[in-house]
Amino acid sequence: MSQFTLGWEEWLSLPDLGLPAVRAKVDTGARTSALHAFAIEPFGSTKKPMVRFAIHPDPNDPHLEMICSAPMKDRREVTSSNGETELRFVIETTVNMGERSWPIEVTLTDRGSMAYRMLLGRTALDDDMIVSPSNSFCQPELSFDAYHGIPRSERHRRALRMAILTREPENYSTRKLIAAAEMRGHSMEVIDTSRCYMNIHSVGGEVHYDGRRLPHYDAVIPRIGASITSYGTAVVRQFESIGTYCLSGSEGITMSRDKLHAHQVLARVQIGMPTTAFARSPKDSANVISLVGGAPLVLKLLESTQGKGVVLAETKKAAESVISAFQGLRADFLVQSFVKEAAGEDIRCFVVGGKVVAAMRRRGKPDDFRSNLHQGGTAEPVRISRQERETAIRAARTMKLDVAGVDLLRGEDGPKVLEVNSSPGLEGIERTSGKDIAGLVIAHIEAKVAPKPSRARAKRPPG
Ligand SMILES: Nc1ncnc2c1ncn2[C@@H]1O[C@H](COP(=O)(O)OP(=O)(O)OP(=O)(O)O)[C@@H](O)[C@H]1O
Ligand SMILES: [Mg+2]
Ligand SMILES: [Mg+2]
């Protein structure tokens, strides 16, 4: 192997950290290597600890700031040249220099007052490397200009600390969201909604779990099951009160869960839907039936999901007996005109950040008017019309949901929204569309929690 010589100062890049140019001092008198870092913050789960930090790679440009993250390898006591001992985070990262590329261990420390943002110690040098202490830049020189080509959003693309609130850690959607987050360098913890407990006080609240207070998360993904809507939204509200971005807000979850509430809110902004009526008193049954145009009609329990509480009554008599059965159970329900022309099919529009990112048509079993996949239906990708697209986007926005599964029927006179789901499943839609929907969801969160460029910082000093 040809000889690899380093001078006492060299340019290098750290691709894992997204740093294209760093000027380092090579110091064989030091054992460990060190990288300048401030705002150092450990995060991630105990299984996969991470650390994130900021760095000013160019000592002469305090406005150039990069945010980096890396898996944490260790925490170690390091004694620096001035004799002070400091507990430092240790990461492993790849160094590129000239034609060579190799992994090194680096400790993180504030070198803000030093001319070299990096110190390359002897453990970072391979056996065949030779240091020539009287020479500078034996390897190709780089320039800090490399940073100016990186868009601001990328420079500040922080690794996020996220949590997913769910009672189903193993289901497809949960696993996909975790994988998509980790692939993009974030950490995602799974929190069982029902095991969160809270402490409410006027100066912001706290969320506790397993005997400890939960840390601050950059974002929380609520996937609250219908069985714990009320408690689940209380947990979400608590996260909101401490300033955590929640992918679906408590208000959106509450509104969308209650079909009646949802229909009332959607009707207010003239979103198409089947004619819907509701009543509580048995005396009003006949009137309610005629309000929606008589049989056939659809009866729905207000909190039904997966098509479980949805019944088609073909005759007025059948409708009356189902209504009296629901009333006997003291279950709240609504009565809806039957959209026959939908022919047992509905369209699920998956909305992320104000866009329909995928759509599928679901068809029920031959003898079922319900198209729910959970009832044995099938799904296929579908092209939706502009009107359908706009309706879905508007429905999600009205329900205050950044991510939503909007279900609609193709009625004679345009799309009719059936419901807006606040934690739509990913499996069916990813399978039919072939798209990485989980990745799009995570990208949306990144954009939402990205630091807003402040005018003062974005401006560069004169000269
Ligand atoms: N008014 C209607 N006219 C025709 N078909 C309907 C009507 N309402 C519901 N359906 C059919 O029944 C299915 C289930 O209804 P809906 O989506 O309201 O219930 P759900 O139990 O909340 O289901 P999900 O699992 O989608 O949350 C719909 O996907 C649709 O195919
Ligand atoms: Mg539903
Ligand atoms: Mg539905």
Side-chain angles (χ1 to χ4, degrees), residues 14 17 33-37 53 55 106-109 111 117-118:
L14 302 170
L17 300 176
S33 304
L35 180 66
H36 167 54
F53 54 93
I55 176 171
V106 197
T107 64
L108 302 175
T109 184
R111 296 178 59 84
R117 264 54 223 285
M118 190 167 181

Side-chain angles (χ1 to χ4, degrees), residues 10 32 39 52 65 87 114 152 176 181 217-219 267 275 284 325 335 344 352 360 368 373 382 408 418 429:
E10 287 295 347
T32 30
R52 71 181 175 198
E65 184 178 301
L87 188 61
M114 318 266 197
R152 246 194 95 83
K176 277 304 296 258
Y217 294 109
D218 300 299
T275 308
D284 302 319
V335 181
V352 178
M360 61 179 172
D368 201 329
L373 299 182
V382 67
L408 44 92
L418 284 185
I429 196 79

Side-chain angles (χ1 to χ4, degrees), residues 346 362 372 407 419:
D346 78 349
R362 300 181 294 192
N372 303 66
D407 292 344
E419 62 170 339

Side-chain angles (χ1 to χ4, degrees), residues 4 12 22 26 67 108 122 151 153 187 191 207 212 235 238 259 271 285 339 356 363 403 454:
F4 189 80
L12 53 85
V22 176
V26 181
I67 295 183
L108 302 175
R122 60 179 182 273
S153 56
S187 89
I191 294 176
V207 181
R212 67 185 170 98
V235 174
Q238 191 81 353
K259 286 192 167 157
I271 287 175
S285 299
V339 183
V356 177
R363 188 193 307 264
V403 168
S454 78

Side-chain angles (χ1 to χ4, degrees), residues 34 115 159 167 327 339 347 363:
R167 301 194 64 194
Q327 281 168 338
V339 183
I347 311 278
R363 188 193 307 264

Side-chain angles (χ1 to χ4, degrees), residues 256-257 259 263 273-276 297-312 334-348 362-364 368-375 405 407-409 416-421:
S256 62
R257 270 304 147 70
K259 286 192 167 157
H263 280 304
M273 62 182 71
T275 308
T276 303
L297 54 78
V298 176
L299 292 137
K300 293 183 193 182
L301 292 175
L302 288 192
E303 289 196 1
S304 93
T305 59
Q306 306 182 348
K308 279 173 198 150
V310 180
V311 183
L312 171 64
L334 56 80
V335 181
Q336 207 163 57
S337 62
F338 177 53
V339 183
K340 191 163 181 286
E341 63 273 22
E345 291 182 355
D346 78 349
I347 311 278
R348 160 64 59 94
R362 300 181 294 192
R363 188 193 307 264
D368 201 329
F369 80 103
R370 298 167 304 176
S371 53
N372 303 66
L373 299 182
H374 288 278
Q375 298 298 334
D407 292 344
L408 44 92
L409 296 178
K416 297 193 182 299
V417 173
L418 284 185
E419 62 170 339
V420 181
N421 292 281

